[in-house]
Amino acid sequence: MAEAYIVAATRTAGGRRGGRLAGWHPADLAAQVIDALVAKSGIDPAAVEDVILGCVSQVGEQASNVARNAVLASKLPESVPGTSVDRQCGSSQQALHFAAQAVMAGSMDAVIAGGVESMTRVPMFTPNALPAKAGLGTFMSPAMQGRYPGVEFSQFTGAEMIAKNYGITKEALDRYAFESHRRAIAATREGAFADEILPVEVRSSDGSAAGEMHRVDEGIRFDVTLEGIAGVKLIAEGGRCTAATASQICDGASGVLVVNERGLKALGVKPLARIHHMSVLGHDPVIMLEAPIPATERALRKAGMKIEDIDLYEINEAFAPVPIAWLQTLGADPARLNVNGGAIALGHPLGASGTKLMTTLIHALAGRGKRYGLQTMCEGGGMANVTIVERL
């Protein structure tokens, strides 16, 4: 079987809700990433055989196959198709897996995988809230309700369950969040994100251009203090999590170009990384956010590796208990985790986060001269994708 290589990777800087990316239609924002991947790699636009984009809230401006709409908003020819993927927060990581599988099978030689989410223009939970308001029912079928009687699936509940089950105190969560911002601040000031961030025009919520480019992740609090984080009110009375120890609502897009050996030969470029392993696992949908732990354990077994073999890890910071519990269970080195900060500081643009994290991971491996990187994230419904890459 052929290998899968990543030859280009980029992302927008995250935009806060109502912030510097609020005026971008999500299809147009994704098109910016698509065009940048073509430019970075030098590929003939007509040689791109598919565009696979992750997106969670596929309604409104993100409806009707946002991937195809992004293609039509880009410089790619109409002959390039597009399809949209929803594996919740792991949507664009799954898009990467689908792209890699296609080129490894030899059915395609060059595929763009990515994701987009405008959480300003299509607020979280809109796909559920609008049908409910219109009396069109819920995703919870009678059979599903019978299997999980009386359960209201909630990521917030899951985060609290993990904190309690793993003995993680509020103080530990606060310290973790502070460290996420501290690392993101350092990475920004040191230029660690310079090569991975695609500058795009700042557009306010009314669509008007501000006459400047968006280059810095808007969610980073450069004046952060541990005391300030500790003072944020609890999400649930008697709980341990706060908004400060959860991922930030974020607008953004990201993507990678994936090719096989034939694609590499046609391009004549050196790959950034090789896909070493990819898998996905379902787990308890009630606690929901714990899946990255068993998914990583299984992925390492299947890859014939140990956690010590992995130089850097990107574990999505949906809620601080998730990466902390992952570290505890895997016996992993905290110094290798989210070395440039995570979603608590940088934002979590849902469907775009998978290839956003992969873009950061690849560039962090290169910046530190390291070899292997592992990425995983919790996903709605109790799932987790795991991707291991080798920097080349």
Side-chain angles (χ1 to χ4, degrees):
M1 184 175 289
E3 298 277 11
Y5 301 95
I6 296 174
V7 295
T10 194
R11 69 175 181 91
T12 66
R16 297 182 71 176
R17 178 169 51 187
R20 293 164 68 86
L21 297 181
W24 279 92
H25 189 291
D28 289 347
L29 190 62
Q32 293 285 306
V33 167
I34 291 170
D35 290 342
L37 292 170
V38 171
K40 280 176 174 283
S41 63
I43 193 171
D44 177 357
V48 177
E49 294 178 83
D50 204 358
V51 172
I52 308 172
L53 293 186
C55 184
V56 174
S57 296
Q58 295 186 32
V59 67
E61 293 184 2
Q62 295 174 166
S64 300
N65 191 4
V66 68
R68 175 59 174 168
N69 299 335
V71 169
L72 299 179
S74 76
K75 296 177 182 178
L76 294 178
E78 292 178 346
S79 59
V80 179
T83 192
S84 304
V85 176
D86 176 8
R87 201 188 284 280
Q88 296 293 281
C89 296
S91 294
S92 56
Q93 188 173 359
Q94 183 60 57
L96 169 58
H97 286 196
F98 284 152
Q101 289 162 354
V103 302
M104 290 169 71
S107 61
M108 297 180 182
D109 296 333
V111 179
I112 287 176
V116 64
E117 203 85 34
S118 176
M119 298 181 74
T120 293
R121 300 169 77 92
V122 187
M124 190 164 52
F125 307 126
T126 298
N128 295 336
L130 286 182
K133 187 176 181 179
L136 297 178
T138 173
F139 70 92
M140 287 283 289
S141 72
M144 190 175 174
Q145 291 174 7
R147 185 171 182 177
Y148 300 96
V151 173
E152 181 178 347
F153 295 102
S154 166
Q155 58 185 325
F156 304 103
T157 301
E160 292 290 358
M161 292 173 69
I162 291 177
K164 181 179 179 181
N165 293 351
Y166 287 83
I168 305 169
T169 64
K170 180 183 180 300
E171 290 71 25
L173 301 178
D174 292 340
R175 287 195 300 272
Y176 183 92
F178 176 71
E179 180 68 9
S180 181
H181 280 279
R182 193 192 67 79
R183 292 186 179 192
I185 292 167
T188 301
R189 288 177 172 165
E190 293 165 7
F193 295 136
D195 291 338
E196 70 184 65
I197 288 180
L198 167 67
V200 295
E201 189 177 54
V202 175
R203 292 186 182 176
S204 59
S205 55
D206 62 3
S208 62
E212 60 178 305
M213 303 300 285
H214 181 48
R215 303 173 185 271
V216 176
D217 293 287
E218 198 175 2
I220 303 172
R221 298 188 183 278
F222 287 90
D223 59 351
V224 69
T225 64
L226 182 56
E227 293 74 20
I229 288 175
V232 176
K233 68 178 182 179
L234 296 168
I235 294 174
E237 186 177 351
R240 308 180 189 190
C241 298
T242 70
T245 57
S247 58
Q248 292 189 39
I249 289 173
C250 183
D251 301 334
S254 63
V256 298
L257 175 60
V258 185
V259 304
N260 55 19
E261 286 89 344
R262 286 196 301 267
L264 272 184
K265 186 176 181 180
L267 280 172
V269 298
K270 185 178 184 299
L272 302 176
R274 178 184 67 86
I275 304 296
H276 185 70
H277 169 86
M278 52 187 174
S279 58
V280 63
L281 179 71
H283 193 249
D284 182 355
V286 180
I287 196 169
M288 192 180 294
L289 311 180
E290 194 177 30
I293 295 171
T296 300
E297 291 172 333
R298 189 184 71 159
L300 291 172
R301 288 196 301 270
K302 289 172 72 72
M305 303 179 78
K306 298 179 180 179
I307 194 63
E308 293 79 14
D309 299 324
I310 307 298
D311 297 300
L312 298 176
Y313 352 105
E314 284 287 330
I315 314 302
N316 193 41
E317 295 172 357
F319 294 87
V322 176
I324 295 175
W326 186 92
L327 281 172
Q328 289 181 189
T329 307
L330 273 295
D333 181 359
R336 304 183 189 187
L337 171 69
N338 299 354
V339 292
N340 291 330
I344 289 172
L346 301 170
H348 176 20
L350 300 185
S353 285
T355 43
K356 174 183 180 292
L357 265 61
M358 181 54 66
T359 295
T360 295
L361 178 58
I362 289 171
H363 284 85
L365 287 168
R368 289 165 170 74
K370 300 298 183 180
R371 183 178 182 185
Y372 285 110
L374 181 148
Q375 173 191 327
T376 187
M377 62 176 64
C378 53
E379 301 160 0
M383 301 178 290
N385 285 71
V386 180
T387 315
I388 301 174
V389 294
E390 179 186 18
R391 184 186 67 88
L392 299 174

